[in-house]
Structures are given as structure tokens and as C-alpha cells.
Amino acid sequence: MDAAQAATFTSTDDALTWAKKDNRRLLHVVYRVGDLDKTIKFYTECLGMKLLRKRDIPEEKYTNAFLGYGPEDSHFVVELTYNYGVDKYDIGAGFGHFGVGVDDVAKTVELVRAKGGKVTREPGPVKGGKTVIAFVEDPDGYKFEILERPGTPEPLCQVMLRVGDLDRAISFYEKACGMELLRKIDNPEYKYTLAMMGYGPEEKNAVLELTYNYGVTEYAKGNAYAQIAIGTDDVYKTAEVVKLFGGQVVREPGPLPGISTKITSILDPDGWKSVFVDNIDFAKELE
């Protein structure tokens, strides 16, 4: 095969340097829903997303829908999966929420309520802060944090997952995934610590929000949330870096059957999955 597939780094420093320089961004977050049309209706009417594309794979018995706030080549989006005949999933305790930045939180919440959606936290300043937030739930029970961020270029701005050891998780995402720690907030009063991880500043890029609840080392993952997809220039080198830093590669790098897109899948120390996708192949998929 080509040289990229035989890539070997001379040292861990060499690997880290490459991962930091690799052209990466969060592409989409993948999860399962029980009624595609109902979810699409909620996201477009209540959360202001656009349906970007839809693909049905009858031989594999599933349908995907991609929704977001702008084109996939420049925005973080959601990829919904509907498996034929499955109308219910267990979200589990590990998944937290998706974050959506809006101009006016109160107005969004009003809309959600008017459309029969569930509001689980009324608009108001965040605990111990000034940002106005609210929480709503989609038809499957996935939580969305609505944040007041007028004019944000990236409205779909967060995926929050709970982890059992924050330092271990931060180290993994920094080294194995080449992310940077953008900020860390400890809240002893409410017994939790947060870390925002990503590939660029929070105000312009979607981030992975890791939450550690004091004393909780493990969570039930359920079967609803699937993974985050991340763009890379080289899935072969990416898999190698992940292995170097103790990550688990659950799908060796290579092309997907049916479509020639090259991917590799990995698990973090808590068992959360990420899929790295070849940037050029992904661009071709969008053509």
C-alpha cells in the first residue's frame, strides 16, 4: 500500500507534533432516534436547523439524516440514524447534552413549548455565572442546552459527555486526538469539574465538553448515542498516534465497504467512540 499506511513516527514527540499540525475539525455527532420525521420536524421548527441531506440504505435497514446550521464542509452538524423498526433507545447516564447557541434563549424556549416540546430548565443565568441558558429535550429525550450567543458562527457548539477521570480524559484528547484544552472550570459547590476540548476557540468552533462529577468513576452508556466524527488528512497516521498514547483502535484504518471513504474508529478511556474520517474522501461524499 502507499507510504501513508506504513507511517511510523520516530518518537512520541514526533507523533504529537504531527497530530497538532493535522488538519482536524469536528464534522458531526452521530446518534440514534426512534422517529426520523418527528425529530427532523423538532430540529427544524424549534431549534432552527436545516435538513442538509438524507440517505436511505435499505440493504442495511437504516436511514441517516444530516441537520445543522450551515453547510457540512464548514459546520458541525448532527447525523441522525434511524434503524428500521426500532422506535426506542436507552440514552444512558453518560451522555450529557448537545449545546446550541442562539440569539435569544427565552424566544427559543417559547417556541419549543408552543410546539409541544419539553422544557427541563427555564431560561436564566448559569449556576455561578452570567450566561443565560435553558435546557430542553427532543422527542427521544436527548437534552439540549440552549445558550445565549448572539451572532455565533457555529450554533451547534457542544457535545457534553461524562467521564470517570477528568485528567485521564484531557490527556487522551490532547495527545491521542490532538485537541487543545480550551478551559477548565471546577465547581466545588455543585461537585463537578468541566473541561472544554476542541480544535479551535470556543466562540468559533464546536467543542467536546467533558464533565467529571466528584466521586463518579463510571456511567451506563445506553445504546442511543453513537460517536463524534473528526476530519483528518491521514487516518493511518491518526490510528498510529492513538495507539501510541494508549487509545483503543476498534476499527483499523481503511476504506468503508460500499463507499470508499477512509476511516478509523477509536475508544477513549471511558469507552466513548470517535471516528476519524479522511478529509478528501469526506469532501467527495458531499459533492
Side-chain angles (χ1 to χ4, degrees):
M1 301 302 275
D2 61 61
Q5 283 158 286
T8 35
F9 295 103
T10 50
S11 66
T12 50
D13 281 354
D14 186 26
L16 273 178
T17 307
W18 178 81
K20 286 274 184 235
K21 279 196 303 213
D22 186 24
N23 187 16
R24 292 185 182 177
R25 72 178 182 91
L26 300 182
L27 303 176
H28 45 257
V29 58
V30 187
Y31 52 104
R32 302 172 185 100
V33 298
D35 182 333
L36 204 51
D37 294 334
K38 205 172 175 179
T39 305
I40 290 170
K41 196 171 155 61
F42 182 82
Y43 289 4
T44 52
E45 292 181 0
C46 298
L47 301 178
M49 291 188 197
K50 295 177 190 78
L51 176 60
L52 301 165
R53 62 183 167 124
K54 210 170 162 179
R55 62 173 179 214
D56 186 35
I57 319 283
E59 58 277 16
E60 299 288 334
K61 299 192 170 58
Y62 73 86
T63 310
N64 289 135
F66 294 79
L67 294 98
Y69 294 97
E72 282 180 75
D73 58 8
S74 56
H75 287 73
F76 185 54
V77 308
V78 301
E79 176 183 338
L80 307 175
T81 300
Y82 169 70
N83 291 303
Y84 293 8
V86 185
D87 62 2
K88 207 172 166 42
Y89 291 95
D90 167 26
I91 289 177
F95 171 80
H97 63 258
F98 303 114
V100 173
V102 300
D103 290 347
D104 186 334
V105 171
K107 211 166 158 181
T108 302
V109 167
E110 242 170 80
L111 194 57
V112 168
R113 195 174 268 129
K115 300 275 182 189
K118 192 171 168 190
V119 178
T120 56
R121 181 201 189 273
E122 292 298 332
V126 65
K127 292 173 190 167
K130 289 193 178 85
T131 312
V132 173
I133 66 157
F135 274 91
V136 303
E137 270 181 26
D138 81 356
D140 287 271
Y142 288 101
K143 286 188 171 61
F144 279 79
E145 179 178 2
I146 312 295
L147 304 103
E148 198 132 309
R149 282 193 181 175
T152 179
E154 186 68 294
L156 184 62
C157 55
Q158 293 171 354
V159 175
M160 190 277 258
L161 301 173
R162 299 182 178 96
V163 297
D165 179 331
L166 194 60
D167 292 331
R168 177 183 71 180
I170 291 169
S171 167
F172 176 82
Y173 282 102
E174 280 182 326
K175 292 175 178 156
C177 298
M179 290 186 187
E180 49 186 313
L181 172 61
L182 301 164
R183 62 188 173 117
K184 194 173 167 184
I185 309 129
D186 184 38
N187 199 326
E189 192 189 339
Y190 295 103
K191 298 190 168 57
Y192 71 83
T193 312
L194 302 179
M196 299 294 190
M197 312 285 306
Y199 293 110
E202 254 181 285
E203 50 282 357
K204 290 186 185 146
N205 298 268
V207 300
L208 178 59
E209 176 181 346
L210 303 172
T211 299
Y212 169 69
N213 290 303
Y214 293 9
V216 186
T217 57
E218 234 174 293
Y219 292 94
K221 294 218 164 35
N223 60 359
Y225 173 84
Q227 68 224 19
I228 284 181
I230 301 168
T232 173
D233 285 338
D234 191 326
V235 294
Y236 300 96
K237 282 184 177 175
T238 294
E240 208 173 316
V241 175
V242 169
K243 286 174 185 171
L244 265 178
F245 292 104
Q248 199 185 338
V249 173
V250 289
R251 190 188 192 283
E252 289 296 332
L256 277 170
I259 47 175
S260 53
T261 304
K262 290 183 288 297
I263 70 157
T264 185
S265 303
I266 69 160
L267 295 182
D268 79 358
D270 286 275
W272 294 115
K273 190 174 173 186
S274 296
V275 175
F276 285 88
V277 182
D278 180 276
N279 286 324
I280 292 171
D281 293 348
F282 182 66
K284 283 183 193 151
E285 248 186 72
L286 298 179
E287 275 168 13

